Amino acid sequence: MPPTPGFGPPMPPPPPRRNHTALIAAASAVVAAAVAVAVTVAVTRDGKDEAAPAPTVTVTQTVGADEPVADEEDTEPAPEEPADDGILALDETRAYDGGVSVSLAGFKRAVSTDTAIPESAPYLRFTVKLKNDGKKTLDATLLTVNCAYGKDGRPGEAVFDSAGGLSGGPSTKLLAGRSLSITWGCELPKGEKVVQIEVAPDYELDAAVFTGSVK
């Protein structure tokens, strides 16, 4: 007998049956979403009350390598220190390099005699004090005193009254380690209170400027 023929290769399994109901539901969802988007776009374009979204603005600040980044909190500027203008009160002392100092004292109102220059004039009487704590002699004969009064700075003429002890500047030099007091007078009308007195010990030193009010 002829041999029995063998069986061929096994048949592949049939393809899985698709769920037509699920496919139809998915397709419907996609169509509905597309319609919703189209309607939204149409309403946005045609609607008059729909506000357009505000643009976004980004601000970028560049900080240098050596510049510190400022804090976000508000800060007040530091108060400035008052400048030293070299103006002194009537009771202060001006000290110079080299040990010389000058100050004022003994302010008093008076009236010059009829033999004075200017005569019978109201004036301010005061004492100029020089002190030499340095090592060199000060030529006090070069002392200069200039006065002004009032807020507008009217010149106050120097008063020379030998009868009242006003003979002008010293006629001697001021040795090291000594002091000297000179009585001086400057014209000051009645009712005026603001005075400015400039004193230069000699030609090499700047004038010390004193200012203030007197009774």
Side-chain angles (χ1 to χ4, degrees), residues 71-147:
D71 295 334
E72 294 182 358
E73 297 181 358
D74 294 335
T75 57
E76 296 182 358
E80 297 182 358
E81 296 182 359
D84 184 7
D85 53 8
I87 305 301
L88 304 172
L90 295 176
D91 58 351
E92 291 185 312
T93 300
R94 169 67 185 275
Y96 296 90
D97 294 337
V100 176
S101 62
V102 58
S103 61
L104 306 177
F107 295 95
K108 184 184 300 183
R109 288 181 180 268
V111 178
S112 63
T113 65
D114 56 0
T115 59
I117 303 175
E119 62 180 87
S120 303
Y123 71 95
L124 180 65
R125 185 186 184 98
F126 55 92
T127 300
V128 179
K129 294 184 177 181
L130 292 178
K131 190 174 183 180
N132 186 4
D133 288 333
K135 298 180 179 180
K136 297 181 180 180
T137 299
L138 176 69
D139 190 357
T141 62
L142 302 179
L143 172 75
T144 59
V145 180
N146 295 301
C147 300

Side-chain angles (χ1 to χ4, degrees), residues 61-64 66-75:
Q61 180 179 2
T62 303
V63 180
D66 298 332
E67 297 178 2
V69 178
D71 295 334
E72 294 182 358
E73 297 181 358
D74 294 335
T75 57

